Amino acid sequence: MTLIKTKYNRRSFLKVSAAAGGGMLIGFNWLTSCTSPVEEGIPMPNEWFEINGYIKIGNTGLVTIYSPNPEIGQNVMTSMPMIVAEELDVKWDHVVVEQGSLDEDAFKNRQFAGGSLSIMRGWDVLRMAGATGRRMLLEAAAKEWGVALSDLTVSEGIIKEVNGDRSIGYGAIASKAVGIEVPEEVELKDPKDFTLIGSFQKNVEGPKIVTGKPLFGLDFKREGMLLAMIEHPPAFGMTVKDFNRDEIVAVNGVRDAFTIDISMDDPGFGNENAFPQMIAIVGDSTWQLMQAKKALKANWEIESELENSEMHAQRLKRDIDQGEVQETRKDGNPEAAFTKAAKVIERTYTAPFQAHNTLEPMNFFAHVTTDKAELIGPTQTPNSLRESASKLLGIPEENISVDITRIGGGFGRRLYVHYGLEAAAISKKTGAPIKLIYTREDDMTHGIYRPAYRSTYKAGLDENNNLIAYSVKGVGFREGAIFPNRFPAGAVDHYAATKLKSETNISTGAWRAPRSHFEAGAQQAFLDEVAEAAGKDTIELQLELLDRAKNNPVGEKYEYEADRYAGVLKLVKEKANWGAEVPGVHRGFAAYFCHNSYVAQVLDLVMKDGLPVVKKVWCAVDCGIVVNREGAINIIQGGVVDGIGHAMYSELKFENGVSTHKNFNTYQLVRHNQSPEEIEVFFVENDISPTGLGEPGLPPAVGALANALYKATGQRYYHQPFAIANQDQNAFDISRTG
């Protein structure tokens, strides 16, 4: 074991006296030691102590571990408690996992699901929480038996004497452990001694999901609750003037109808919203509310330009040279190097707006009274919701509770809190508990979209086909899709990267693997073309560059570790038997670093009846220590399917500020029969602390697909979605298959 100070300070672990039934409760601050000072010996409260995560041990030996982070299908509700249970040294089948609530008093940092950060940021604190519980239980047993701590050992929740016959379970000693002082330092396991971490464990909520138990926000009900729906302006750039309220409230089942406005000064994170003002209808059932929405006759006012897709394309084309520069990097003299180059390759890539398409419709419950607010629903950023609700309602944050339900799809959509604020505003206006529910059409036309992007890549080769110059400039709405210090930064003598932004009145925001999903696809497709021009294997070209970055790097900094990056290239090359030619099988390769993890992929496809069929994808992943191998494989596989599907099919267009797609009958997502037939995942085994996993599997899938399609069709794919024909490409049109 490794001896480690409880560096988050002793007050990061809130110790509470005996629980009902002789239990022990150990709470821990989620990210840092930022809770206010708490005195020892706090009595057990009637409700759960206001903390972000905790361990509860009952007298039977059953352990409850509460997970504070929102669960959006990334399976942290399984993997995070596994970390605690590993260090606590308790049998996994003796653990019950439940979702923790948000509590600002015990958790001063943002509690969220985003950026693939949950495990990475929680790793040390979760381990110490478990190890601290184990140590206190051991000390209680040592005191009870009158022996030294070194005379005891523990395994699977059973404490034993090293040289004796006595043993005792955690449940029997838990009440005595309450009086033990929280230790100044604890021992953490050596990773080689892990038995639970790294194993295959099923989703703890799997049985509830498949049997339809109420878990999601849409399932939540409260006695006396009313339902609400909204009607926002029909186009970006419009606001509501008035509507036929008298006719609407006369519709059977409708209780009230009114306009709400959730705009505020200094809105804070998560308040991206182009429609702060809208019409709300409150009633008894969703069907009745839908009928009322059909009867709406509203007058809308134009306040800003009504944009369209052609305008967006032209604006990005202009602003790749004239947009506002956000970030740059320059090594050497790229301009001079391009002038001297024997070959110059320059290509432009584009991607359209895309919707998040969470399968659970947007929804939230709110019950607002004069001085309190209760908010319950699916949110990735509960802290941001509470902060914004406090500003909107004029209620102190300590009087606003936020409970997190399981989330039926997030992908960044539920980072934004406007739908929770809308629910709160409607509840305040009606004076009743309400549940706001969006229709699919509401979200498709009222969304926070993945921005459209445009990037131009340029490479210069010398007479020996060595890459001597490389540049990229990219623009996107509100943020360009360029990371100047990522690969191949540090690997090319003459290098330039410029990130620019353009403006739009259409609301944009984070979409799974923000910016990386586009940059990875474009960069890796471009490097594949560069390798072809150089007469080199695409993997070998990138390994050469990574070798340069490792042994003789250019410039002062770059984000990635060249050794780890090269490691996944070599692993996927081996596992996929790269270089072997199979008649009729077309192979594409891509790799990318994002969210502190490395993923390389090889994709095999065949053509069937003129359409591509993805047969298999091999994935090599370096994300440090893998906590739950089952969940890790699943999330990489999901990222591959998501990346392929959106790159191939998804596109959101606008005409006069209106989304031309309102539901899945016209906006295509990948179908089951269009998904890869097989996805095999391999992990680099090391003892590095875990890094991100929820998003890194998606970006390289775009590039691997583009490169395989090129091998199959002889056409390069520069514009997403690949399935929709571009007149200059003569691409196949498979937009309506399946």
Side-chain angles (χ1 to χ4, degrees):
M1 289 192 176
T2 302
L3 193 65
I4 185 169
K5 294 280 186 181
T6 49
K7 60 183 178 181
Y8 295 86
N9 108 25
R10 293 173 59 211
R11 298 192 184 279
S12 295
F13 296 85
L14 308 179
K15 181 161 60 78
V16 195
S17 60
M24 175 183 74
L25 187 68
I26 301 171
F28 55 97
N29 182 278
W30 190 239
L31 296 180
T32 61
S33 171
C34 55
T35 52
S36 57
V38 178
E39 295 185 7
E40 300 287 340
I42 300 175
M44 180 64 181
N46 293 326
E47 298 178 354
W48 293 114
F49 189 76
E50 295 177 345
I51 52 178
N52 294 302
Y54 45 83
I55 306 164
K56 183 169 67 175
I57 302 178
N59 64 334
T60 62
L62 188 69
V63 178
T64 297
I65 300 176
Y66 284 73
S67 179
N69 278 31
E71 174 59 66
I72 53 176
Q74 79 279 47
N75 212 16
V76 294
M77 202 169 172
T78 302
S79 53
M80 296 171 85
M82 283 175 66
I83 299 170
V84 179
E86 177 70 72
E87 293 289 353
L88 183 62
D89 212 331
V90 64
K91 293 179 68 173
W92 183 240
D93 59 6
H94 288 182
V95 172
V96 175
V97 178
E98 294 188 18
Q99 177 71 58
S101 299
L102 175 72
D103 193 311
E104 186 67 19
D105 288 336
F107 181 66
K108 300 297 185 182
N109 287 323
R110 181 167 290 146
Q111 186 180 356
F112 67 101
S116 298
L117 291 170
S118 295
I119 297 296
M120 188 174 78
R121 288 194 174 179
W123 175 248
D124 287 339
V125 177
L126 289 165
R127 293 183 70 192
M128 283 200 293
T132 300
R134 182 187 70 233
R135 169 68 176 271
M136 293 168 68
L137 289 157
L138 281 166
E139 287 195 15
K143 184 177 180 180
E144 182 79 1
W145 291 340
V147 299
L149 193 67
S150 58
D151 292 333
L152 301 179
T153 185
V154 63
S155 177
E156 296 186 334
I158 303 297
I159 299 170
K160 296 180 179 180
E161 286 184 289
V162 175
N163 297 310
D165 297 327
R166 285 182 291 186
S167 66
I168 191 170
Y170 279 174
I173 198 65
S175 61
K176 302 291 180 64
V178 170
I180 301 296
E181 185 173 345
V182 176
E184 293 284 355
E185 57 186 18
V186 293
E187 288 183 323
L188 300 181
K189 288 185 177 181
D190 190 304
K192 67 179 176 57
D193 296 325
F194 289 159
T195 57
L196 183 57
I197 291 174
S199 64
F200 289 79
Q201 299 298 332
K202 296 293 183 183
N203 186 327
V204 294
E205 290 195 315
K208 295 179 182 178
I209 293 170
V210 299
T211 55
K213 296 294 191 298
L215 292 171
F216 299 91
L218 206 59
D219 299 323
F220 181 80
K221 296 179 181 179
R222 173 70 60 81
E223 186 72 26
M225 177 183 80
L226 298 176
L227 298 179
M229 284 188 166
I230 54 98
E231 181 78 6
H232 60 270
F236 287 86
M238 284 186 170
T239 59
V240 60
K241 182 180 180 181
D242 54 42
F243 70 101
N244 57 333
R245 180 182 180 278
D246 290 344
E247 293 180 47
I248 298 305
V249 296
V251 174
N252 183 42
V254 172
R255 303 289 190 95
D256 203 354
F258 44 83
T259 59
I260 60 170
D261 190 336
I262 61 168
S263 59
M264 65 186 80
D265 296 330
D266 187 28
F269 177 84
N271 256 322
E272 177 72 28
N273 182 20
F275 298 107
Q277 187 187 56
M278 65 204 69
I279 299 166
I281 309 174
V282 180
D284 299 324
S285 74
T286 54
W287 176 254
Q288 292 167 323
L289 293 176
M290 287 178 181
Q291 303 315 301
K293 286 185 66 174
K294 290 177 182 178
L296 266 176
K297 296 175 184 176
N299 293 315
W300 311 99
E301 295 180 316
I302 298 177
E303 286 206 342
S304 60
E305 188 174 29
L306 303 182
E307 301 179 359
N308 59 56
S309 292
E310 180 61 29
M311 183 187 300
H312 294 149
Q314 292 302 318
R315 193 177 297 164
L316 291 178
K317 189 174 182 179
R318 177 199 69 194
D319 287 346
I320 201 166
D321 294 312
Q322 301 178 28
E324 179 184 335
V325 175
Q326 296 178 298
E327 189 178 358
T328 63
R329 174 180 175 136
K330 185 175 181 180
D331 298 325
N333 189 340
E335 297 85 357
F338 281 122
T339 301
K340 297 176 182 178
K343 295 179 187 176
V344 175
I345 305 101
E346 184 171 2
R347 300 289 183 264
T348 295
Y349 301 81
T350 66
F353 283 98
Q354 289 183 349
H356 287 85
N357 302 303
T358 62
L359 291 185
E360 178 192 17
M362 307 302 289
N363 67 90
F364 226 85
F365 170 86
H367 187 195
V368 179
T369 58
T370 303
D371 57 354
K372 290 184 179 181
E374 181 185 17
L375 306 175
I376 302 172
T379 174
Q380 293 179 237
T381 52
N383 240 359
S384 294
L385 175 59
R386 182 170 61 184
E387 291 169 358
S388 293
S390 175
K391 295 174 185 177
L392 179 70
L393 301 171
I395 295 175
E397 288 184 34
E398 58 267 27
N399 290 349
I400 299 175
S401 65
V402 180
D403 285 319
I404 311 161
T405 64
R406 190 176 182 90
I407 301 172
F411 314 110
R413 176 64 179 93
R414 287 182 163 102
L415 290 169
Y416 306 98
V417 301
H418 61 89
Y419 58 104
L421 299 178
E422 291 160 8
I426 296 169
S427 177
K428 181 178 181 179
K429 179 80 172 179
T430 60
I434 69 98
K435 169 111 112 273
L436 172 66
I437 300 175
Y438 278 29
T439 65
R440 176 65 55 196
E441 289 79 4
D442 291 332
D443 193 35
M444 289 284 282
T445 59
H446 184 200
I448 309 293
Y449 306 110
R450 198 276 305 262
Y453 296 114
R454 183 183 183 94
S455 292
T456 296
Y457 290 78
K458 189 175 180 180
L461 303 174
D462 66 14
E463 61 277 4
N464 296 316
N465 286 322
N466 296 310
L467 181 61
I468 59 170
Y470 182 99
S471 73
V472 56
K473 55 182 178 179
V475 63
F477 288 117
R478 303 210 173 103
E479 189 172 30
I482 297 298
F483 296 86
N485 297 315
R486 290 187 185 174
F487 180 77
V492 184
D493 286 329
H494 305 285
Y495 172 90
T498 305
K499 173 185 170 185
L500 308 103
K501 76 170 183 176
S502 188
E503 293 298 334
T504 179
N505 63 10
I506 292 172
S507 50
T508 62
W511 187 97
R512 191 175 185 181
R515 296 185 285 145
S516 295
H517 54 252
F518 174 66
E519 187 191 47
Q523 177 207 86
Q524 291 292 298
F526 180 66
L527 285 175
D528 190 79
E529 194 165 351
V530 170
E532 183 179 53
K536 296 182 178 180
D537 175 82
T538 187
I539 295 181
E540 291 307 315
L541 171 67
Q542 296 197 41
L543 286 172
E544 287 177 14
L545 293 171
L546 289 166
D547 186 65
R548 171 69 192 278
K550 174 187 175 183
N551 295 310
N552 188 20
V554 180
E556 294 183 359
K557 64 177 181 178
Y558 52 98
E559 293 181 14
Y560 58 94
E561 294 179 42
D563 256 353
R564 295 180 69 187
Y565 208 138
V568 293
L569 269 66
K570 294 173 182 176
L571 180 59
V572 82
K573 180 182 178 181
E574 172 198 341
K575 296 298 184 181
N577 195 21
W578 178 259
E581 298 290 337
V582 179
V585 177
H586 311 283
R587 313 197 96 181
F589 162 82
Y592 197 67
F593 160 80
C594 67
H595 300 85
N596 301 287
S597 292
Y598 305 79
V599 179
Q601 296 174 3
V602 170
L603 181 150
D604 278 5
L605 65 78
V606 299
M607 300 300 293
K608 184 177 181 181
D609 299 326
L611 302 177
V613 176
V614 180
K615 299 296 289 184
K616 184 171 182 176
V617 182
W618 289 262
C619 305
V621 182
D622 185 346
C623 59
I625 293 170
V626 178
V627 177
N628 178 12
R629 208 160 289 264
E630 171 108 348
I633 290 171
N634 290 342
I635 203 162
I636 291 294
Q637 291 173 331
V640 171
V641 174
D642 208 9
I644 289 172
H646 281 86
M648 186 69 88
Y649 307 113
S650 299
E651 177 181 32
L652 197 67
K653 290 187 174 182
F654 294 87
E655 293 295 336
N656 295 321
V658 181
S659 167
T660 59
H661 300 284
K662 296 178 173 57
N663 211 316
F664 296 147
N665 61 322
T666 61
Y667 186 91
Q668 185 176 351
L669 298 179
V670 65
R671 310 293 199 256
H672 283 294
N673 66 346
Q674 296 162 337
S675 299
E677 294 180 4
E678 184 180 359
I679 303 172
E680 195 168 6
V681 182
F682 304 91
F683 294 100
V684 175
E685 304 296 337
N686 56 45
D687 292 339
I688 299 170
S689 294
T691 49
L693 201 59
E695 293 160 282
L698 187 154
V702 181
L705 174 64
N707 294 331
L709 286 171
Y710 164 65
K711 300 291 176 51
T713 67
Q715 298 288 331
R716 290 284 180 181
Y717 288 79
Y718 303 111
H719 308 292
Q720 296 179 35
F722 301 147
I724 295 178
N726 294 297
Q727 292 181 358
D728 61 338
Q729 284 188 270
N730 297 317
F732 40 77
D733 184 354
I734 53 175
S735 59
R736 286 289 155 289
T737 61

